[in-house]
């Protein structure tokens, strides 16, 4: 197959890569990947079903949790076909249009998930610092408006990326070093000036993930300040315990995400295998672990899941 060089976008393709050097054991590698995807899809679908069918869970905390489950489900579905296609069928080719569509969904859903985690931090802050006004502050119309604004932000900032990429001619090697498309790697294969894409990509990251993480940190500083003012040690522990599952979700999402972004932009000397593994951790682990963490830490949700399976 020839490299993508001065080729029309309708016929040009990229070649995706699984884990270099492990082609002989791709079938065995596909088993844990399939299990991770299955756990993600089933786990998040169960969370959505339980919250939808149980009126007692129609509260702000669980509404935000259902939004988190939707974004995790979307991320799993966006990356599953190409990843399993490589490991099971060695289907490495992806057209430019399909690649641009995939990176649009991956990036927009990632930014939306970052926003949902911020909303969940705000929910915990209101619940702990102003419990008597919790229901009056987080009303359903207000929640709907906040969710709409953040979803619109996630889609709007990523919407220009496919069009910015499509204007390029690609004369570099057409091999993508992972099993899915991301903006940072695709733009580096262009033989044109990519400064606009690079600056805009950095702006989007700062405007979404970095800003959200700073606001979440600020929320927990204020939560901690409120909790430390509580006289009773038992009430203090009880208040902090309601934040454990959210803190786990935040760490699962931001730690590999920020690490991957730093390595991609500034870690040219780092091991390619490290970047590939960090990419898989970033996209596979949070969607798989979030429903497990929330099912274990939320007693109300756990009881209803057990009850549903017993029926």
């Amino acid at each position: 197959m020839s490299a993508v060089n001065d080729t029309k976008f309708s016929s040009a393709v990229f070649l995706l890569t699984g884990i270099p050097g492990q082609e002989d054991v791709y079938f065995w590698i596909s088993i844990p990947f399939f299990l991770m995807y299955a756990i993600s899809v089933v786990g998040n679908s169960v969370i959505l079903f339980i919250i939808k069918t149980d009126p007692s869970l129609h509260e702000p905390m669980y509404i935000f949790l259902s939004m988190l489950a939707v974004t995790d489900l979307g991320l799993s579905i966006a990356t599953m076909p190409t990843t399993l296609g490589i490991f099971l069928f060695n289907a490495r080719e992806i057209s430019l249009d399909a690649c641009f569509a995939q990176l649009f969904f991956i990036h927009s859903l990632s930014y939306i998930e970052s926003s949902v985690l911020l909303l969940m931090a705000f929910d915990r802050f209101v619940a702990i610092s102003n419990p008597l006004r919790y229901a009056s502050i987080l009303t359903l119309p207000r929640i709907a408006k906040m969710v709409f604004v953040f979803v619109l932000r996630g889609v709007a900032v990523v919407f220009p990326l496919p069009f910015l990429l499509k204007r390029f001619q690609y004369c570099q090697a057409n091999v993508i070093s992972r099993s899915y498309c991301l903006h940072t790697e695709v733009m580096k294969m262009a033989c044109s000036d990519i400064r606009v894409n690079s600056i805009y990509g950095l702006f989007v990251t700062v405007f979404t993930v970095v800003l959200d993480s700073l606001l979440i940190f600020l929320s927990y500083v204020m939560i901690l300040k409120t909790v430390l003012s509580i006289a009773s040690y038992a009430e203090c522990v009880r208040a902090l315990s309601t934040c454990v599952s959210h803190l786990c979700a935040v760490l699962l999402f931001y730690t590999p995400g920020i690490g991957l972004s730093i390595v991609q932009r500034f870690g040219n000397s780092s091991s390619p295998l490290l970047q590939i593994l960090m990419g898989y951790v970033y996209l596979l682990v949070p969607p798989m672990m979030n429903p497990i963490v929330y099912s274990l830490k939320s007693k109300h949700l756990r009881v209803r899941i057990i009850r549903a399976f017993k029926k």
Side-chain angles (χ1 to χ4, degrees), residues 26-295:
Y26 268 5
F27 174 77
W28 300 108
I29 294 176
S30 70
I31 296 175
F33 274 85
F34 176 79
L35 290 175
M36 292 173 75
Y37 279 125
I39 293 171
S40 300
V41 172
V42 173
N44 288 293
S45 298
V46 168
I47 295 287
L48 288 171
F49 175 77
I50 296 297
I51 293 175
K52 182 180 183 300
T53 55
D54 194 329
S56 66
L57 297 179
H58 294 175
E59 300 176 359
M61 173 183 172
Y62 295 105
I63 293 174
F64 293 138
L65 177 57
S66 65
M67 282 293 302
L68 184 67
V70 168
T71 55
D72 283 339
L73 199 58
L75 279 170
S76 296
I77 293 173
T79 56
M80 184 191 307
T82 52
T83 302
L84 292 182
I86 290 173
F87 291 129
L88 288 175
F89 310 109
N90 198 31
R92 298 181 58 199
E93 292 187 2
I94 184 171
S95 68
L96 266 69
D97 287 335
C99 183
F100 297 157
Q102 185 180 47
L103 69 86
F104 169 79
F105 284 110
I106 290 176
H107 286 297
S108 59
L109 287 167
S110 296
Y111 297 146
I112 292 171
E113 179 154 346
S114 175
S115 301
V116 173
L117 291 172
L118 174 59
L119 290 174
M120 296 175 84
F122 177 67
D123 168 78
R124 290 299 85 207
F125 167 69
V126 174
I128 292 173
S129 65
N130 222 330
L132 297 179
R133 296 185 57 207
Y134 178 76
S136 62
I137 294 174
L138 289 175
T139 61
L140 289 179
R142 188 168 293 167
I143 290 172
K145 290 177 183 177
M146 291 191 297
V147 169
F148 174 77
V149 168
F150 281 116
V151 169
L152 183 63
R153 183 190 69 163
V155 173
V157 296
V158 180
F159 187 75
L161 292 183
F163 300 99
L164 290 173
L165 291 170
K166 198 161 186 174
R167 64 193 176 94
F168 292 145
Q169 290 291 329
Y170 294 89
C171 56
Q172 305 295 327
N174 62 334
V175 179
I176 296 176
S177 64
R178 47 179 56 85
S179 60
Y180 49 85
C181 296
L182 292 178
H183 171 254
T184 307
E185 185 169 7
V186 173
M187 74 174 182
K188 289 180 179 178
M189 290 189 287
C191 52
S192 309
D193 186 357
I194 62 171
R195 281 180 296 180
V196 172
N197 283 60
S198 183
I199 293 171
Y200 183 73
L202 183 60
F203 162 76
V204 170
T205 302
V206 172
F207 181 61
T208 55
V209 176
V210 175
L211 178 61
D212 291 347
S213 61
L214 290 175
L215 291 175
I216 290 173
F217 176 76
L218 179 61
S219 297
Y220 273 99
V221 169
M222 298 172 71
I223 288 172
L224 191 59
K225 182 180 178 181
T226 302
V227 168
L228 291 177
S229 66
I230 300 175
S232 170
Y233 175 77
E235 291 181 3
C236 179
V237 172
R238 191 182 305 115
L240 287 176
S241 67
T242 64
C243 302
V244 172
S245 51
H246 177 253
L247 279 172
C248 291
V250 168
L251 292 174
L252 284 169
F253 178 79
Y254 284 107
T255 303
I258 293 174
L260 178 62
S261 179
I262 292 173
V263 168
Q264 284 180 333
R265 289 187 177 275
F266 308 109
N268 293 327
S269 60
S270 63
S271 168
L273 182 61
L274 174 63
Q275 295 189 32
I276 293 170
L277 293 178
M278 287 181 67
Y280 284 131
V281 169
Y282 171 61
L283 287 179
L284 294 180
V285 173
M288 178 185 68
M289 292 302 300
N290 284 336
I292 296 175
V293 170
Y294 274 94
S295 299

